[in-house]
Amino acid sequence: MQAHAKPCQRKMHSTAMKNLHSYLLPILALASLVVKIRGSASLHPVLTGPELAYHGSKVTFQCIASDSLPPVTYELLSDGGVLISTGIDDQGDTPASFSLKVTAASEGSYHCRATAGGRTGVSKSIQLSVVTPASNTRVISKPFPPVAYEGSYVFLSCNVTKGSHLHYTWFFNRTELTHSDSPFTHLAGNELVLENVTLEHAGNYYCMAWSQVHDKKRFSSSSEVLLTVKVYVSKPRISFSIFKEGDSYRGNVTCWSTRGSRPVNFTLLLDDREEGSVTATESLFAWFPVALVPGMDMGVARCQVKTDVQELMSEPVTLEVVPVGGEVRVEVEYLYRFDSQLATAATLNCEISRGTFPHISWLFNDTVLLSHEGTQTQPILSHYVLASKSQTLILAKLGPEESGYYRCRVRNSYDDSGPWVESAAVLVRVSVLVLMCPQCLHPHPSQESDRMTAMMFRIRPQRSQFDSEGAALHHSHVSPRSKMC
């Protein structure tokens, strides 16, 4: 017997089928949309590679599109879409590698194009710069040749025949220079500027031009350049001397400067006429023979000095040799301690009326104090000093041993056999200071106590008549500086 469905069951089945279709249709539509979108979306390749490369080296670019199904075709293109190379990935997720030999023409922008399943994508660009190592490095100086005077500027530049992306390092006497070495040393690019140069800047300079790509450095060094710093010559000075040869005389004029760089040229002018010229290379002195006669005016002499940048003239000097003559006398000055009435030291000065080249000798009790002839081996006095070319005799200690008669005698230094002109004898002895205010010698203990051991009175004796032995006797008087009250 055939079974038949009931009318209510058929109705429920029809309702369920309708509900299923209403759920499946949106899902099928969405799936179809995803398939369509996937089939039409572009690829997103990524290009990696260097931005710097040495000329002549090899570089590698890699391109990959991770969102694509194999096979994938990759193309490396340069500026303007020029195809460089092509690669195919049959496995999937394997980057394509492109190797290039770097030349000057390799510099520029590179990008990658990927194609798979009808879809295409282009990567971002990489800018490749070609680095050319430095070659034929040399130092150019300004001024040239590298010779400069104190206080001037010197410009040194580090030049190369070819090279790019360069850095520069400077060396002075084989020691690297930095910005902190001197406020007058400036490093800028390929230039080294020396400001206000001094003698300390003189020496050897060289530079190094270098470049770096990743961890690789390439260098090129110049040869050394010697910088010479010259000193401006000072105003010349002039002096003259005279010598006796037999019965005649000859003179010598000396020209010199205290500072300056050699060589320099010295010229002697006599009454504005050129008498001679000398180029000094070993020192800053020059000597010129001249005619001199004692007692005669031989003219006005000047020294002129010349360098490549200077011309200077000395003060004038009259070439006249005045023989020693006239009166010669001894002036005595006693020195007293602040806390003593007894003279502790004395200075004697030999006063000469005239004489251009005097030779002075001192006598103590008619015995020569200092013998230039070498006949005296032991000094008569132990505490004395000669100063101002023997014109001043200083008795550093004044006691019984130093008390006695002193004279000076003078002759022409250029004539050893010439006559002496002598002074009168002067008696020097320990003298007592007579103060006009005795309390000045013994101040209150709280006043000037620290200065008493250091201060001294300077007393110049007054002239008086000669005693019976012909020696000049003196009476001390207090100088203005000793009037303490």
Side-chain angles (χ1 to χ4, degrees):
M1 187 170 72
Q2 187 175 1
H4 297 278
K6 294 181 180 181
C8 65
Q9 290 179 334
R10 288 196 298 269
K11 187 176 181 180
M12 291 177 61
H13 177 74
S14 176
T15 302
M17 290 299 293
K18 288 181 180 180
N19 290 337
L20 179 61
H21 285 171
S22 64
Y23 282 108
L24 290 176
L25 284 174
I27 295 174
L28 292 173
L30 181 60
S32 176
L33 180 61
V34 170
V35 171
K36 288 182 179 179
I37 292 174
R38 184 175 177 85
S40 61
S42 61
L43 302 178
H44 300 87
V46 176
L47 179 66
T48 58
E51 295 180 348
L52 290 175
Y54 279 118
H55 186 279
S57 65
K58 287 185 178 182
V59 296
T60 298
F61 289 94
Q62 288 189 330
C63 186
I64 186 171
S66 301
D67 57 350
S68 61
L69 297 176
V72 184
T73 301
Y74 295 100
E75 297 172 306
L76 182 65
L77 301 100
S78 64
D79 293 332
V82 178
L83 181 62
I84 303 298
S85 182
T86 302
I88 298 176
D89 174 21
D90 293 322
Q91 305 297 323
D93 289 333
T94 301
S97 296
F98 305 96
S99 295
L100 299 178
K101 174 80 172 189
V102 179
T103 65
S106 300
E107 184 159 324
S109 178
Y110 292 84
H111 61 274
C112 170
R113 182 166 62 200
T115 304
R119 296 184 298 151
T120 301
V122 178
S123 71
K124 292 183 178 179
S125 296
I126 292 178
Q127 182 69 34
L128 176 65
S129 297
V130 177
V131 179
T132 303
S135 62
N136 194 22
T137 304
R138 63 196 183 280
V139 174
I140 303 299
S141 70
K142 184 180 180 183
F144 182 82
V147 177
Y149 276 87
E150 286 180 311
S152 62
Y153 281 76
V154 174
F155 299 88
L156 301 176
S157 60
C158 189
N159 291 4
V160 298
T161 300
K162 62 179 181 179
S164 66
H165 302 80
L166 297 178
H167 305 272
Y168 301 90
T169 304
W170 286 92
F171 296 86
F172 172 57
N173 290 336
R174 310 215 171 166
T175 300
E176 181 178 345
L177 287 174
T178 63
H179 288 280
S180 61
D181 284 335
S182 168
F184 303 110
T185 300
H186 307 287
L187 301 169
N190 70 325
E191 286 193 338
L192 171 62
V193 181
L194 304 177
E195 176 187 349
N196 193 26
V197 296
T198 65
L199 290 177
E200 295 179 353
H201 290 99
N204 291 296
Y205 292 81
Y206 76 93
C207 70
M208 179 184 294
W210 57 278
S211 57
Q212 182 171 359
V213 175
H214 304 300
D215 59 345
K216 294 182 179 179
K217 286 185 178 181
R218 296 192 180 179
F219 305 87
S220 175
S221 296
S222 71
S223 58
E224 289 186 326
V225 170
L226 176 61
L227 173 63
T228 301
V229 178
K230 287 189 173 184
V231 178
Y232 286 108
V233 70
S234 62
K235 181 178 179 178
R237 300 181 182 183
I238 185 171
S239 64
F240 70 95
S241 57
I242 185 172
F243 306 92
K244 186 175 183 181
E245 293 182 336
D247 295 330
S248 61
Y249 298 89
R250 66 180 179 89
N252 184 74
V253 174
T254 302
C255 298
W256 80 96
S257 291
T258 57
R259 67 190 305 266
S261 294
R262 302 180 298 270
V264 298
N265 181 266
F266 286 104
T267 300
L268 174 64
L269 302 175
L270 186 58
D271 291 333
D272 295 328
R273 299 187 311 273
E274 183 175 327
E275 292 293 318
S277 182
V278 172
T279 298
T281 59
E282 300 297 328
S283 68
L284 293 174
F285 285 80
W287 296 268
F288 301 91
V290 293
L292 285 179
V293 177
M296 293 185 62
D297 185 344
M298 307 301 290
V300 177
R302 286 176 178 263
C303 286
Q304 182 187 64
V305 63
K306 285 184 180 180
T307 68
D308 52 347
V309 294
Q310 288 179 278
E311 182 174 325
L312 301 173
M313 193 78 73
S314 73
E315 296 296 327
V317 62
T318 301
L319 299 183
E320 181 179 9
V321 178
V322 178
V324 168
E327 180 187 6
V328 177
R329 67 180 186 273
V330 174
E331 294 285 346
V332 183
E333 190 173 33
Y334 291 98
L335 287 86
Y336 294 81
R337 290 176 61 90
F338 190 91
D339 57 347
S340 174
Q341 291 180 284
L342 297 178
T344 57
T347 61
L348 290 76
N349 196 60
C350 187
E351 302 289 343
I352 306 169
S353 297
R354 64 177 181 269
T356 306
F357 298 103
H359 170 70
I360 301 173
S361 175
W362 287 88
L363 295 92
F364 172 59
N365 292 334
D366 293 327
T367 302
V368 177
L369 272 179
L370 187 65
S371 175
H372 290 281
E373 291 75 25
T375 57
Q376 182 177 309
T377 57
Q378 294 293 331
I380 300 174
L381 300 177
S382 56
H383 299 92
Y384 74 92
V385 177
L386 291 173
S388 302
K389 298 181 179 180
S390 297
Q391 188 169 358
T392 301
L393 171 64
I394 302 173
L395 301 177
K397 176 185 175 184
L398 189 57
E401 178 187 356
E402 290 79 20
S403 297
Y405 293 96
Y406 290 82
R407 287 185 293 121
C408 70
R409 59 180 184 175
V410 186
R411 63 169 171 80
N412 294 310
S413 63
Y414 52 85
D415 188 358
D416 294 340
S417 61
W420 292 92
V421 180
E422 296 189 1
S423 72
V426 173
L427 176 62
V428 176
R429 58 187 175 184
V430 178
S431 61
V432 178
L433 175 66
V434 179
L435 293 175
M436 291 179 289
C437 48
Q439 67 269 29
C440 292
L441 189 61
H442 302 288
H444 190 275
S446 63
Q447 299 176 353
E448 306 290 343
S449 59
D450 293 335
R451 295 197 300 151
M452 289 179 63
T453 59
M455 295 187 61
M456 304 182 73
F457 290 114
R458 302 176 65 88
I459 309 299
R460 185 181 298 276
Q462 295 176 331
R463 286 182 169 274
S464 66
Q465 299 296 322
F466 289 100
D467 65 0
S468 59
E469 297 179 2
L473 299 178
H474 298 277
H475 303 283
S476 299
H477 73 280
V478 181
S479 70
R481 282 180 289 178
S482 65
K483 296 178 181 179
M484 305 299 294
C485 295

